[in-house]
Amino acid sequence: MTLEQLYALIGPDMKAVDAVIRDRLYSDVALVRQVAEYIIGSGGKRMRPALVLLAAGALGYEGVRHHEMAAVVEFIHTATLLHDDVVDESALRRGRDTANAAFGNAASVLVGDFLYSRAFQMMVAVDNMRVMQVLSDATNIIAEGEVLQLMNCHDADVDEARYMQVIHYKTAKLFEAAAQLGAILGQATPEVERALAVYGMHLGTAFQLIDDVLDYSGQEADTGKHLGDDLAEGKPTLPLIYVMQHGTPEQAACVRKAIEEGGRDDFPLVIEAIRHSGALEHARARAVQEAELAKQAIQCLGDSHYKKALLQLPLFAVERNH
């Protein structure tokens, strides 16, 4: 199933979210508009705003506040991308030059700050303390995840537990918040709100694990970024951790050297070690486990087309090639 098919149910709502994004991107400062529109307009799966809309729909929400909240989530996500690409010195995202490659690091960082602060202006306008609590907590935890990932770079002794913590903080937390926001807007019971939060966390974890797999198995034309970027940055992602724990001594030594030194010199050898050790199969299996946990979490929801779409999203997350 394609994302277009999944999003058919919320097509008009997604257009309304895009309109909110365009409107709220406005700034009197031309460079702010230019950089923000560049990164927002560069595509992306829009899974996080879609989660807000689908969760709200599953609970029968009929207002328009979910459009604002979906835009807020997308702004927070976009701000993290701007800052990520500067920290990682990335040159390619979604098949285009990164904003930092196109406009410079300073502009990217500062426009990321603009998007964060605009997101907080918008959430304050909703005048719902629970919404503000969920989003402010999520934003803070995401920042901690970024720092954790930075600390893990070039550390070949990172184990699976430490790495999963980075995923939960850095990626899964915003998925969790997005699903939770839909529940809050739909005035869900605490139990249902918690169920959707758990769903979002497992969905986001599955999504990131497949991103890790695609960094060593995808096609650049599909993924829209350079293969081996994680290795070049010395990031010990799950496929690499698996090789060091379960590969031959020679494979483990090769991966350890690559993580500690970074760069792409050892990329062909690392790819060979990953593909011959079963590392990609292990990472995919972990992603499938997370997807199943996501689906189990929302069995408590009443039957609806929105629930069906929510159940399909984890399948897309683990079966995609980009």
Side-chain angles (χ1 to χ4, degrees), residues 61-114:
Y61 178 73
E62 294 181 347
V64 294
R65 284 281 171 85
H66 59 332
H67 300 151
E68 288 279 324
M69 289 299 93
V72 166
V73 167
E74 187 66 5
F75 280 178
I76 292 171
H77 174 55
T78 304
T80 66
L81 296 186
L82 283 164
H83 290 167
D84 266 5
D85 287 340
V86 171
V87 171
D88 296 341
E89 300 179 9
S90 298
L92 194 69
R93 181 180 288 277
R94 298 169 181 166
R96 302 173 69 193
D97 288 345
T98 53
N100 49 299
F103 301 98
N105 286 342
S108 290
V109 170
L110 295 173
V111 172
D113 293 343
F114 167 82

Side-chain angles (χ1 to χ4, degrees), residues 35 88 155 197:
V35 178
D88 296 341
D155 183 353

Side-chain angles (χ1 to χ4, degrees), residues 52-260:
V52 178
L53 302 176
L54 290 170
L59 290 160
Y61 178 73
E62 294 181 347
V64 294
R65 284 281 171 85
H66 59 332
H67 300 151
E68 288 279 324
M69 289 299 93
V72 166
V73 167
E74 187 66 5
F75 280 178
I76 292 171
H77 174 55
T78 304
T80 66
L81 296 186
L82 283 164
H83 290 167
D84 266 5
D85 287 340
V86 171
V87 171
D88 296 341
E89 300 179 9
S90 298
L92 194 69
R93 181 180 288 277
R94 298 169 181 166
R96 302 173 69 193
D97 288 345
T98 53
N100 49 299
F103 301 98
N105 286 342
S108 290
V109 170
L110 295 173
V111 172
D113 293 343
F114 167 82
L115 288 172
Y116 271 131
S117 55
R118 178 52 50 87
F120 275 79
Q121 286 179 322
M122 292 167 69
M123 75 175 77
V124 168
V126 171
D127 196 24
N128 183 317
M129 186 58 71
R130 186 79 183 111
V131 164
M132 287 189 280
Q133 180 185 10
V134 167
L135 282 170
S136 59
D137 286 351
T139 306
N140 192 251
I141 287 171
I142 291 165
E144 289 183 321
E146 296 288 357
V147 177
L148 276 175
Q149 179 171 267
L150 187 65
M151 292 168 61
N152 285 353
C153 279
H154 302 292
D155 183 353
D157 293 320
V158 171
D159 60 14
E160 188 166 321
R162 276 174 65 191
Y163 179 63
M164 294 302 290
Q165 183 184 15
V166 170
I167 288 183
H168 290 155
Y169 279 32
K170 182 176 177 287
T171 302
K173 191 63 185 180
L174 194 55
F175 279 80
E176 177 184 323
Q180 202 169 353
L181 286 176
I184 292 167
L185 291 174
Q187 297 184 319
T189 64
E191 293 76 19
V192 171
E193 180 187 327
R194 178 62 189 154
L196 275 159
V198 170
Y199 165 86
M201 188 270 289
H202 287 301
L203 173 63
T205 303
F207 189 86
Q208 183 59 55
L209 288 170
I210 294 300
D211 265 5
D212 295 344
V213 169
L214 292 175
D215 198 57
Y216 294 102
S217 66
Q219 300 295 320
E220 288 193 12
D222 293 327
T223 62
K225 67 174 190 173
H226 296 305
L227 295 185
D229 275 354
D230 289 345
L231 185 69
E233 296 152 19
K235 290 180 183 174
T237 57
L238 188 56
L240 300 180
I241 292 168
Y242 184 87
V243 173
M244 284 189 292
Q245 292 179 342
H246 301 280
T248 66
E250 293 77 18
Q251 289 170 338
C254 170
V255 169
R256 174 174 287 275
K257 176 177 177 287
I259 290 172
E260 291 177 349

